[in-house]
Amino acid sequence: MKYEPLKRHLEGLFSRGEVRLSFTEIERILGFALPRSAYEHQAWWSNTRAGHSHAAAWLDAGWKTAALDRAARKVSFVKGGLARSGVSEESAPFLRDKPTVVAFPLDALGERAVRMLDEHVKTHGGDRAGACIALLDQLANDRLVALVEWFQKASPPLPADVDVVDLIREDRDAR
């Protein structure tokens, strides 16, 4: 994935709930320049996975964009569960539900699960709780991707004159 370096960078920030990065810092992490649309359009920074591999990178890492200052060329990322608002396509923040805390004793996990958590901590830093969140989030994302792929294969092709983006917006706006 093109934006994998950003994903890995954010995954390594377990001890922080929020981070503010300049566009220059992000480009240094990525090893290439951001596209012009990142500088010109707030929608580029939205937390919309569909068709946005760059957004999938931070969402897959468990982060969301929360504040954008295009003039200062800076963006804030917050851990997904802590996000109360985010950058939306319509240039207005949108509210998130209050996060729910889930707690369970470590001995409720099997030995393999604990080894996975410890390996994640060793590789990415942080603690077991952060590793658990990252691994569960990745599992959920993997399941979602598999479901979308299955649905695409099972669905008949759309007529050539139908724009998928318009269908998504129409569905979103109907809610």
Side-chain angles (χ1 to χ4, degrees):
M1 171 170 39
K2 182 176 180 181
Y3 292 91
E4 184 76 19
L6 178 59
K7 177 184 172 190
R8 287 189 182 145
H9 178 80
L10 291 171
E11 284 175 334
L13 299 175
F14 282 109
S15 61
R16 299 176 70 179
E18 182 172 357
V19 63
R20 187 154 179 81
L21 297 173
S22 70
F23 292 7
T24 303
E25 290 171 310
I26 293 171
E27 290 173 333
R28 190 171 30 250
I29 291 165
L30 291 171
F32 59 86
L34 289 169
R36 185 172 37 182
S37 57
Y39 287 86
E40 296 176 357
H41 303 287
Q42 181 162 343
W44 195 91
W45 296 99
S46 69
N47 295 304
T48 306
R49 181 182 303 278
H52 298 120
S53 62
H54 55 280
W58 61 73
L59 292 170
D60 288 350
W63 293 77
K64 294 180 180 177
T65 54
L68 173 67
D69 185 344
R70 282 196 335 260
R73 297 183 172 185
K74 292 186 177 188
V75 64
S76 292
F77 293 92
V78 295
K79 291 224 176 141
L82 302 174
R84 284 200 27 83
S85 65
V87 177
S88 72
E89 291 182 21
E90 293 81 21
S91 301
F94 50 89
L95 297 177
R96 295 283 185 205
D97 295 332
K98 186 176 180 180
T100 302
V101 176
V102 177
F104 57 88
L106 192 60
D107 60 2
L109 296 175
E111 187 178 320
R112 279 189 356 203
V114 174
R115 279 198 315 263
M116 282 180 68
L117 293 175
D118 290 341
E119 181 62 32
H120 196 278
V121 168
K122 183 179 173 184
T123 304
H124 300 287
D127 58 17
R128 284 178 170 168
C132 186
I133 291 167
L135 291 171
L136 284 171
D137 192 50
Q138 184 60 50
L139 174 64
N141 288 329
D142 292 347
R143 295 285 304 263
L144 178 62
V145 168
L147 179 63
V148 168
E149 288 173 354
W150 172 84
F151 184 75
Q152 287 174 336
K153 290 177 186 173
S155 299
L158 291 172
D161 62 338
V162 174
D163 184 2
V164 175
V165 174
D166 287 339
L167 288 176
I168 293 169
R169 284 191 182 123
E170 182 179 313
D171 180 56
R172 180 194 63 206
D173 293 344
R175 292 180 189 181

